[in-house]
């Protein structure tokens, strides 16, 4: 039944338009992380390995369609309004794309190889939580200008560490 | 039985005929249904089962036979119609090998053959046939009819196998099987025969009919096909039971033809043909269902003979057949169940390389049927689940590695077919969502098509010398395959190893060579465009863009560069506005290749500009290559080819570029920068938001380049909304073409990467533009020259491109400290665009002073002295003064305010509230002029007055003499107050307050004037203008003339008046007006006197029947006689009795009548004379006179006494007095 119910995801009710979006893409062989700005531009993208990187850029970019749709569907009966995790965005043959949106509408996206069965909903959820925490740390840096590309080494190391785990 | 409608009677006839030979007990005909009405319960089912593949014209049998599909097309015809051409298009393009056969895709319907109808020459038969064909809507039973000749040869039935023991199947499903049961083997053959019950030659006809039936039976030997006879009759049959001959003969005919009574029908050829036909076909449908039921039973009965080792294929085949027959029987639930079983059985087959294709083909067919039925049953999720399972099971079943492209093609087809099914279900009312729509399946189909292309490129790259094998291994003797999914060169072969390795090789080669000729790009593009259409529908703009990029790339590979460019150009802006630079750069790179290969100069330049820009993610090496090419293009040379281009295409492109060079003219291109992120950034700003007309307008233009090498430009110009200024803001350099590469020159016309360059422009605004906005409409930067090619980079407004807005926002947010730059260099982020400025007038150098004495007094000519003094260095010419009430205040104020220059006359309503443009003339430096204004304010209140002085002066700006208009405004608020409060009182002659006056009796009017003005006022004169109802008693001289009143002082005067009797009314009579003529004491003589008019109050006039008045000296003296006369006047037309009594008093002795009773005649008066003798000095009370009127008791004594004096001053006896007496004596 998943096909049409689309997993009953929840969105945050915070009505803040725009917001940056952090998009992460992790595949079991290729890891990828993106963060988008006011108009959904990427703040951070990481793909492991880097070959075929462009394809993942496209995958993440197209997944924003679903993220936006889910965000705009505010007002529908939601399971939990504090839930930031959007779940599986859409199924493709080869990858699973997961989404997460913070209260300020920063988007995180993780792309995982669909053959990777080790990563289940709970693992993805905790990965997002880690990402979110790390992103919050970046934002707390007074020298970071919101909207700029993320160049924090700490953030980068955290993402790399997460991707190593996955591989 | 009663006769009912004609339709009903036929029904009865039919039923009765059947009753005779069967058990009877048919349900009675329902209501009065005339037969032409529909049968509702079937409608809903059939609505769903619309099959777009099944077109009436898709004739699968021999061309001449008429056959129709029963499935309704009306209503859904649009949906079906639109799909059909699309389908045929796809069929044409892809090799037909991968398409599902039409008989698989159609909706199976019971096949009924009609014989004995001559539809060409017999009108009756034609009508019957038409009734079968026409209007086949959803409410009619799903039958496919065909007219066949009576002696038609049906496909021969093979000898039925009694045992499967030694039988080894050669394949899963024969290619002709489905078509055979759809179109060749009928479920029912109907023999039409013209025969009336009372036919004269009954016997002969009966036997002919029997013969016909026999011929059909012969042809159908071995099959379970049913045979039915329909007698076409001219006469309307009688109700059943009444026509004994009919019953008898019907039984006889059944006997002769060996028919059951259920299979004999009568069709009267009357008016109600359609109704009869519908009844007939329902009966046929029942027969057909029975036939398919027995067929299913027959197929199932084979099962027990099969064993699992040798007959695996048969399990699948039988299951598929059972399912297909169920579909023909319209039992879709069982069909689905059987197909599902068949699907599972297919995957249980032992798979190896030789039969992989067959297994996949059958799996694909069965899967298609399952998904179709699931959608039909409105269970889309089941369909999707089945399809996912199918894909998962088959994904890895690649088969022969040399033919791997076949697997990709097959996968692509699976996805595409599912997408089509999904889309069709949506057209019939299914709702899809963003994350589950047909687009994903088309996209995946496209992905597999791309994979197929790649694999084909790898596997089919044979030398061009490789000849197609002969004889063609793909040819089969029959032209078609025996079994679905088998190889033509080894049909019916089921063992693991191929029988002939050489043949196998040749066959594979043939397939590879064929694959080489397939136009993969076209396939991919079609699938992508299908997907694009879907994603557009389901709100996936980014997915749509992504697919369009892929389409563009595919067009690029297919060498259709113009289409590629069109698509890429279309989506570029989406990626640009979303700032996904990496993706944009990639798209631009492809677009640049296309532009190069087509020799599109403008596009080439545009994409180069952007690829060199700051949004580009290319490395410096690539950028510098592009920059070099760009410079070449600007110098009218051919650029170097883009990397990774098709060598043949490059050759063509080089020719095109060479042609472009020789072509003169049209070498100027304008590119709008706000749509791109070019490598030159531009910001223009006016230094101030406004400039005085005598100051030069200053503009800074900042340029910054991002290309890897310094770049020269030939011209920079700024365009304004007033084009006259354009000429002042141009930098131009006519350099030699050879200089263009000379990067070392750090001239003004060269942009160094990363450095901000500032250009300063100045011009003097035109005096006509004072008060207007000057805007930068565009900034143009010209690259190249007229000699070579010329590109104008055009920034609308004050610069800025597709990315600068966001960058500026980020910069303002940034906490970073701006880098300290040496000297005159500017930090780019600190520059803000200022694209417009105001030209404002020159600051005036004059002083305007106002002198006046506020507040103004109502109606006076208030004097406002305006002093203008010039502080200009040159003569101020044409000075004009505009003064008066400031516009825009309450309209009431405008009406009550009047301004004049002439203070000697009172102004009236004809004077305006504002005096515009009073010419004053010229003023030399330092000179002063004074102008007095006179304002009359008719009402109290606060008013704002404006004094506006304008003049013209000539000044020199930047060596240019300009004539400036200057002006200075002064405003003041002036309060207007009343000059004095005037009160009027009516009092008696004794100064007693009176509420009303008595007719003909004198009274006093007291006027009190209280000055409220802070300035002293002079009352020039005052005047009383009496109303006709009033008369003055004595002379009306002003007692206040020339009185000066200080603030708070009060002046009073009184007038003695008399009022003739007037008719009594409550409002009283008018008294007249009081006019005060006054002016300020300080005012000049010329200032006119102000007349303030006060309307006096009305007074109530009463009459009195008796008037009393006394005549006595002004004073008395002790012990001297004081003569007093009392006059009693009768004011009525009646004789009045009056009683008078003098009350004695200590102060006086008196002589006269103490008490008297009088009678006074009308209008006469009576005189009473008394001599009072004062006894005491001082202000003494006189002896009271008590009067009572017997006729008017209401007139009290007190009232009358008011007319009489009460006291008199008595002087003491003195010497002087004595002397007087002496003298008198």
């Amino acid at each position: 039944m998943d096909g049409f119910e689309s997993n009953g995801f929840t969105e945050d009710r915070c009505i803040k338009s725009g917001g940056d979006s952090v998009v992460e893409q992790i595949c079991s062989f290729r890891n990828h992380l993106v963060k988008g700005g006011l108009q959904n531009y990427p703040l951070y993208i990481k793909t492991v390995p880097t070959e075929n990187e462009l394809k993942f850029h496209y995958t993440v970019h197209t997944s924003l369609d679903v993220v936006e749709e889910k965000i705009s569907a505010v007002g529908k009966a939601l399971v939990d309004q504090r839930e930031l995790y959007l779940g599986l965005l859409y199924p493709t043959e080869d990858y699973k794309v997961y989404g997460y949106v913070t209260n300020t509408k920063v988007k995180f996206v993780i792309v995982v190889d669909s053959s990777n069965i080790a990563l289940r909903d709970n693992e993805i959820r905790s990965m997002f939580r880690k990402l979110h925490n790390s992103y919050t740390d970046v934002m707390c840096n007074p020298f970071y200008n919101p909207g700029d590309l993320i160049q924090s080494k700490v953030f980068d190391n955290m993402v790399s560490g997460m991707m190593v785990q996955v591989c | 039985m009663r006769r009912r409608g004609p339709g009903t009677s036929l029904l009865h006839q039919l039923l009765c005929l059947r009753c005779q030979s069967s058990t009877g007990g048919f349900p009675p005909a329902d209501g009065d249904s005339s037969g032409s009405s529909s049968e509702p319960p079937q409608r809903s089912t059939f609505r769903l089962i619309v099959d777009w593949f099944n077109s009436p014209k898709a004739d699968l049998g021999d061309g001449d036979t008429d056959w129709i599909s029963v499935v309704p097309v009306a209503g859904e015809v649009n949906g079906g119609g639109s799909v059909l051409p699309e389908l045929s298009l796809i069929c044409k393009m892809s090799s037909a090998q991968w398409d599902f056969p039409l008989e698989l895709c159609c909706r199976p319907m019971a096949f009924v053959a009609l014989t004995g109808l001559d539809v060409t020459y017999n009108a009756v038969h034609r009508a019957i046939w038409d009734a079968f064909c026409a209007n086949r809507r959803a409410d009619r039973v799903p039958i496919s009819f065909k007219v066949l000749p009576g002696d038609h040869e049906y496909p021969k039935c093979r000898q039925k196998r009694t045992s499967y023991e030694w039988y080894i199947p050669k394949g899963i499903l024969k290619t002709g099987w489905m078509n055979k049961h759809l179109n060749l083997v009928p479920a029912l053959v109907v023999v039409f025969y013209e025969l009336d019950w009372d036919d004269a030659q009954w016997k002969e006809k009966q036997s002919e009919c029997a013969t016909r039936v026999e011929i059909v039976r012969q042809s159908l030997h071995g099959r379970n096909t049913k045979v039915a006879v329909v007698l076409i009759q001219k006469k309307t049959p009688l109700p059943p039971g009444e026509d004994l001959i009919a019953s008898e003969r019907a039984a006889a005919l059944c006997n002769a033809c060996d028919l059951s009574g259920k299979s004999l029908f009568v069709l009267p050829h009357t008016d109600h043909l359609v109704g009869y036909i519908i009844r007939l076909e329902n009966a046929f449908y029942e027969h057909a269902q029975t036939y398919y039921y027995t067929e299913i039973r027959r197929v199932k009965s084979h099962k027990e003979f099969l064993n699992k080792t040798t007959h695996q294929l048969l399990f699948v085949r039988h299951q598929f057949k059972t399912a297909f027959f169920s579909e023909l029987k319209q039992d879709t639930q069982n069909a689905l169940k059987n197909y599902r079983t068949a699907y599972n059985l297919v995957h249980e087959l032992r798979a190896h390389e030789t039969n992989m294709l067959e297994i996949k083909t059958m799996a694909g067919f069965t899967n298609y049927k399952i998904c179709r039925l699931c959608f039909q049953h409105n269970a889309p999720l089941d369909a999707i689940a089945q399809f996912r399972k199918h894909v998962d099971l088959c994904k890895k079943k690649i088969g022969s590695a040399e033919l791997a492209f076949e697997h990709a093609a097959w996968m692509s087809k699976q996805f595409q077919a599912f997408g089509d099914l999904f889309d069709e279900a949506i057209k019939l009312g299914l709702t899809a969502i963003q994350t589950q729509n047909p687009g994903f399946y088309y996209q995946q189909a496209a992905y597999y098509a791309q994979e197929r292309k790649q694999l084909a490129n790898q596997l089919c790259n044979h030398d061009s010398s490789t000849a197609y094998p002969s004889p063609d291994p793909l040819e089969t003797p029959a032209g078609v395959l025996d079994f679905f999914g088998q190889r033509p060169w080894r049909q019916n072969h089921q063992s693991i190893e191929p029988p002939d390795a050489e043949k196998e090789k040749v066959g594979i080669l043939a397939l590879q060579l064929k694959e080489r000729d397939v136009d993969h790009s076209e396939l991919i593009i079609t699938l992508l465009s299908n997907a694009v259409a879907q994603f557009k529908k389901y709100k996936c703009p980014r997915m749509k863009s992504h697919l369009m990029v892929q389409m563009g790339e595919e067009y690029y590979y297919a060498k259709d560069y113009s289409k590629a460019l069109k698509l890429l150009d279309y989506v570029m802006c989406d990626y640009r506005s979303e700032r996904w630079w990496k993706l944009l750069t990639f798209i631009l790179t492809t677009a640049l290749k296309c532009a190069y290969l087509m020799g599109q100069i403008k596009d080439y330049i545009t994409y180069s500009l952007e690829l060199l820009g700051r949004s580009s993610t290319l490395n410096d090496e690539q950028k510098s290559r592009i920059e070099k090419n760009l410079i070449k293009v600007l110098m009218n040379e051919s650029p170097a080819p883009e990397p990774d281009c098709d060598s043949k295409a490059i050759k063509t492109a080089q020719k095109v570029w060479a042609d472009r060079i020789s072509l003169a003219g049209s070498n100027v291109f304008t590119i709008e920068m706000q749509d791109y992120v070019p490598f030159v950034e531009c910001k223009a700003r006016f230094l101030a938001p406004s400039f005085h007309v005598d100051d030069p307008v200053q503009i800074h233009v900042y340029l910054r380049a991002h290309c890897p090498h310094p770049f020269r430009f030939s011209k920079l110009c700024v365009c304004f909304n007033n084009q006259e200024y354009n000429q002042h803001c141009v930098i131009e350099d006519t350099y030699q073409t050879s200089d263009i590469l000379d990067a070392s020159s750090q001239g003004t016309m060269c942009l160094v990467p990363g450095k901000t360059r500032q250009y300063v422009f100045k011009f003097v605004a035109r005096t006509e533009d004072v008060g207007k906005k000057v805007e930068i409409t565009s900034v143009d930067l010209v690259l190249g020259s007229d000699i070579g090619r010329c590109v104008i980079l055009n920034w609308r407004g004050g610069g800025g491109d597709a990315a600068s807005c966001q960058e500026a926002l980020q910069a303002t947010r940034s906490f970073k400290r701006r880098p300290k730059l040496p000297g005159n260099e500017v930090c780019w982020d600190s520059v803000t665009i200022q694209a417009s400025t105001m030209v404002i007038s020159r600051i005036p150098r004059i002083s305007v002073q106002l002198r006046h004495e506020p507040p103004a007094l109502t109606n006076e000519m208030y004097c406002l002295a305006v002093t203008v003094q010039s502080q200009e260095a040159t003569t101020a010419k044409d000075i004009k003064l505009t003064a008066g009430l400031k516009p825009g205040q309450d309209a009431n104020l405008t009406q009550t305010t009047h301004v004049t220059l002439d203070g000697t006359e009172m102004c009236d309503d004809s004077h305006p509230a504002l005096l515009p443009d009073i010419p004053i003339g010229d003023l030399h430096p330092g000179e002063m002029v004074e102008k007095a204004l006179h304002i009359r304010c008719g009402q109290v209140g606060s008013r704002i007055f404006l004094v506006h002085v304008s003049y013209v002066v000539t000044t020199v700006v930047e060596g240019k003499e300009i004539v400036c208009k200057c002006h200075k405004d002064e405003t003041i608020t002036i309060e207007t107050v009343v000059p004095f409060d005037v009160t009027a009182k009516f009092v008696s002659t004794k100064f007693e307050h009176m509420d009303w006056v008595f007719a003909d009796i004198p009274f006093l009017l007291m006027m009190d004037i209280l000055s409220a003005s802070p300035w002293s006022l002079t009352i020039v004169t005052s005047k009383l203008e009496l109303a006709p109802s009033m008369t003055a008693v004595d002379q009306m001289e002003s007692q206040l003339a020339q009185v000066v009143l200080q603030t708070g002082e009060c002046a009073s005067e009184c007038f003695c008046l008399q009022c003739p009797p007037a008719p009594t009314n409550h409002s009283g009579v008018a008294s007249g007006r009081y006019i005060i003529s006054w002016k300020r004491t300080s005012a000049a003589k010329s200032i006119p006197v102000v007349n303030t008019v006060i309307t006096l109050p009305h007074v109530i006039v009463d009459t009195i029947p008796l008037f009393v008045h006394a005549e006595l000296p002004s004073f008395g003296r002790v012990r001297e006689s004081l003569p007093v006369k009392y006059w009693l006047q009768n004011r009525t037309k009646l004789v009045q009795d009056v009683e008078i009594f003098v009350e004695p008093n200590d102060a006086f002795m008196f002589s006269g009548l103490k008490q008297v009773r009088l009678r006074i005649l009308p209008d006469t008066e009576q005189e009473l004379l008394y001599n009072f003798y004062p006894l005491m000095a001082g202000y003494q009370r006189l002896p009271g006179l008590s009067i009572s009127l017997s006729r008017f008791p209401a007139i009290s004594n007190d009232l009358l006494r008011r007319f009489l004096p009460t006291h008199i001053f008595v002087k003491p006896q003195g010497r002087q007095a004595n002397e007087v007496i002496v003298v008198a004596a």
Side-chain angles (χ1 to χ4, degrees), chain B residues 451-497:
Chain B
E451 193 171 292
R452 175 188 180 182
K453 185 178 130 183
Q454 273 171 16
L455 289 167
N457 285 345
Q458 281 167 27
L459 297 169
C460 313
N461 53 354
H462 302 281
D463 285 341
S464 49
S465 60
T466 314
Y468 190 78
S470 177
D472 187 352
L474 303 183
E475 281 288 310
T476 55
V480 286
L481 291 170
D482 288 349
F483 288 95
F484 283 117
Q486 293 193 343
R487 296 294 182 195
W489 62 86
R490 50 168 162 79
Q491 290 200 74
N492 307 339
H493 175 80
Q494 283 298 333
S495 70
I496 294 172
E497 285 306 312

Side-chain angles (χ1 to χ4, degrees), chain A residues 137-167:
Chain A
D137 292 344
V138 172
M139 290 300 286
C140 290
N141 179 354
F143 299 104
Y144 174 73
N145 184 18
D148 279 352
L149 301 189
I150 295 175
Q151 280 154 340
S152 156
K153 271 183 196 155
V154 179
F155 188 80
D156 198 52
N157 289 341
M158 190 280 306
V159 175
S160 305
M162 208 153 67
M163 287 170 145
V164 166
Q165 264 178 11
V166 169
C167 289

Side-chain angles (χ1 to χ4, degrees), chain B residues 369-639:
Chain B
K369 280 288 190 188
I370 295 169
C371 295
R372 236 176 89 89
L373 288 171
C374 285
F375 277 123
Q376 195 175 309
H377 290 156
N378 206 10
L381 297 180
D382 290 354
I384 290 167
Q386 162 64 29
F387 185 71
R388 290 238 68 82
K389 183 175 129 195
H390 174 59
V391 168
D392 287 344
L393 284 172
C394 297
K395 199 157 48 175
K396 296 284 179 316
K397 295 193 174 172
I398 297 165
S400 164
E402 290 152 298
L403 296 172
F405 55 84
E406 279 194 334
H407 179 67
W410 181 82
M411 286 297 279
S412 174
K413 182 66 208 172
Q414 300 301 307
F415 277 99
Q416 187 200 339
F418 188 77
D420 287 341
L421 279 177
F422 199 167
D423 192 35
E424 195 51 40
I426 289 163
K427 280 180 186 144
L428 290 175
L430 182 73
T431 4
I433 55 169
Q434 192 193 35
T435 51
Q436 191 56 266
N437 69 59
F440 287 101
Y441 299 95
Y442 288 125
Q443 187 197 8
Q444 203 59 32
Y447 167 72
Y448 276 110
Q450 282 164 339
E451 193 171 292
R452 175 188 180 182
K453 185 178 130 183
Q454 273 171 16
L455 289 167
N457 285 345
Q458 281 167 27
L459 297 169
C460 313
N461 53 354
H462 302 281
D463 285 341
S464 49
S465 60
T466 314
Y468 190 78
S470 177
D472 187 352
L474 303 183
E475 281 288 310
T476 55
V480 286
L481 291 170
D482 288 349
F483 288 95
F484 283 117
Q486 293 193 343
R487 296 294 182 195
W489 62 86
R490 50 168 162 79
Q491 290 200 74
N492 307 339
H493 175 80
Q494 283 298 333
S495 70
I496 294 172
E497 285 306 312
D500 184 344
E502 192 52 40
K503 258 192 177 177
E504 194 71 18
K505 255 173 97 179
V506 172
I508 288 172
L509 177 67
L511 284 175
Q512 287 174 338
L513 290 176
K514 279 217 158 156
E515 181 72 11
R516 202 167 60 177
D517 298 336
V518 174
D519 186 350
H520 291 105
S521 290
E522 203 173 342
L523 288 174
I524 296 166
I525 288 163
T526 310
L527 289 168
L528 285 172
S529 72
N530 277 357
V532 165
Q534 295 291 339
F535 283 117
K536 198 168 164 186
K537 213 154 96 187
Y538 295 102
K539 288 193 220 157
C540 300
R542 293 179 188 86
M543 184 64 102
K544 192 186 117 199
S545 302
H546 174 41
L547 293 171
M548 284 172 79
V549 171
Q550 287 187 325
M551 275 172 83
E553 279 165 19
E554 204 52 54
Y555 272 121
Y556 169 73
Y557 294 129
K559 302 196 173 58
D560 190 343
Y561 302 120
S562 71
K563 273 188 186 152
L565 206 55
K566 215 182 240 173
L567 278 165
L568 295 175
D569 198 60
Y570 182 83
V571 292
M572 242 179 243
C573 64
D574 293 341
Y575 288 97
R576 194 181 291 118
S577 66
E578 293 221 298
R579 301 162 52 78
W580 281 70
W581 300 134
K582 192 150 191 150
L583 302 181
L584 178 66
T585 306
F586 172 72
I587 296 164
L588 279 169
T589 313
T590 314
L592 183 68
K593 284 179 194 169
C594 293
Y596 169 73
L597 293 172
M598 285 198 298
Q600 295 275 26
I601 301 171
K602 188 177 175 184
D603 289 335
Y604 187 87
I605 294 169
T606 313
Y607 301 140
S608 298
L609 287 177
E610 200 158 16
L611 280 170
L612 288 173
R614 59 201 190 283
S615 68
S616 162
T617 55
L618 294 182
N619 57 34
D620 274 358
E621 198 181 318
Q622 289 165 309
K623 279 188 178 178
S624 94
R625 186 183 61 78
I626 290 169
E627 189 179 354
K628 270 178 199 149
N629 276 337
L630 180 60
I631 291 170
K632 273 188 185 171
V633 171
L634 291 177
M635 288 170 70
N636 211 7
E637 288 171 24
S638 293

Side-chain angles (χ1 to χ4, degrees), chain A residues 1 3-6 34 38-42 45 53-55 57-58 60-62 64-66 68-69 89-91 93-94 142 144-148, chain B residues 380-381 384 388 391 395 415 422 433-436 440 444 539-543 546 549 575 577-580 582-583 586-587 806 810 813-816:
Chain A
M1 282 289 172
F4 284 111
E5 309 290 305
S6 71
V34 188
L38 215 63
Q39 309 90 12
N40 287 319
Y41 64 92
I45 304 188
E53 195 181 10
L54 203 66
K55 184 182 169 181
H57 281 240
Y58 276 122
V60 173
H61 184 239
T62 50
L64 292 176
D65 283 337
V66 186
E68 296 243 297
E69 187 69 16
L89 293 180
Y90 61 85
E93 276 303 288
D94 312 308
Y144 174 73
N145 184 18
D148 279 352
Chain B
L381 297 180
I384 290 167
R388 290 238 68 82
V391 168
K395 199 157 48 175
F415 277 99
F422 199 167
I433 55 169
Q434 192 193 35
T435 51
Q436 191 56 266
F440 287 101
Q444 203 59 32
K539 288 193 220 157
C540 300
R542 293 179 188 86
M543 184 64 102
H546 174 41
V549 171
Y575 288 97
S577 66
E578 293 221 298
R579 301 162 52 78
W580 281 70
K582 192 150 191 150
L583 302 181
F586 172 72
I587 296 164
Q806 171 73 17
Q810 278 301 109
R813 274 199 217 156
S814 178
F815 303 109
K816 275 180 207 141

